[in-house]
Amino acid sequence: MGQGQQLPSASSKEREKTSTPPLFKVLMHNDDYTTMEFVVEVLQAVFHLSDSAAERIMLAIHFQGLGHCGTYPYAIAETKVQEVCTRARKAGFPLRCSIEKE
């Protein structure tokens, strides 16, 4: 390109608009069989939470019946739910997670 020439700018119609994907909450549900220790282990392993954060969420699940584990794009939230359910079934627990749009 010669001196003084500029690259052509893309018109506003040609520019690709990027948007943030919608986010989804991963919720863990209380049950009468899954141990508190297992819930804390899963929260730490799957959601990468600290000891104190995992214990806080576990207590919310225990006392309120539901705990918010994290917020992610749909595909990641779905993968986390599947991982929790797989770990729970292997350990013999009926632990359940769900996804809710934020």
Side-chain angles (χ1 to χ4, degrees):
M1 225 190 241
Q3 234 176 352
Q5 292 181 339
Q6 294 181 357
L7 292 174
S9 62
S11 71
S12 60
K13 287 182 183 177
E14 293 173 355
R15 288 186 191 150
E16 220 179 287
K17 291 185 180 181
T18 57
S19 62
T20 309
L23 297 176
F24 293 81
K25 296 178 189 177
V26 176
L27 304 171
M28 194 174 287
H29 302 263
N30 190 37
D31 63 67
D32 293 334
Y33 302 100
T34 307
T35 65
M36 292 180 181
E37 293 81 11
F38 183 78
V39 171
V40 169
E41 287 174 24
V42 168
L43 288 168
Q44 291 172 328
V46 176
F47 299 96
H48 308 289
L49 298 172
S50 66
D51 292 345
S52 60
E55 287 184 29
R56 180 180 45 78
I57 293 170
M58 177 273 296
L59 289 172
I61 295 165
H62 181 71
F63 290 112
Q64 299 168 11
L66 197 65
H68 177 207
C69 304
T71 304
Y72 308 93
Y74 184 79
I76 294 172
E78 187 177 55
T79 300
K80 299 236 181 235
V81 167
Q82 290 173 352
E83 189 174 348
V84 168
C85 290
T86 299
R87 287 173 179 259
R89 297 310 165 266
K90 282 183 181 177
F93 294 118
L95 184 61
R96 199 168 58 87
C97 277
S98 63
I99 299 172
E100 178 181 287
K101 192 166 185 177
E102 186 175 53

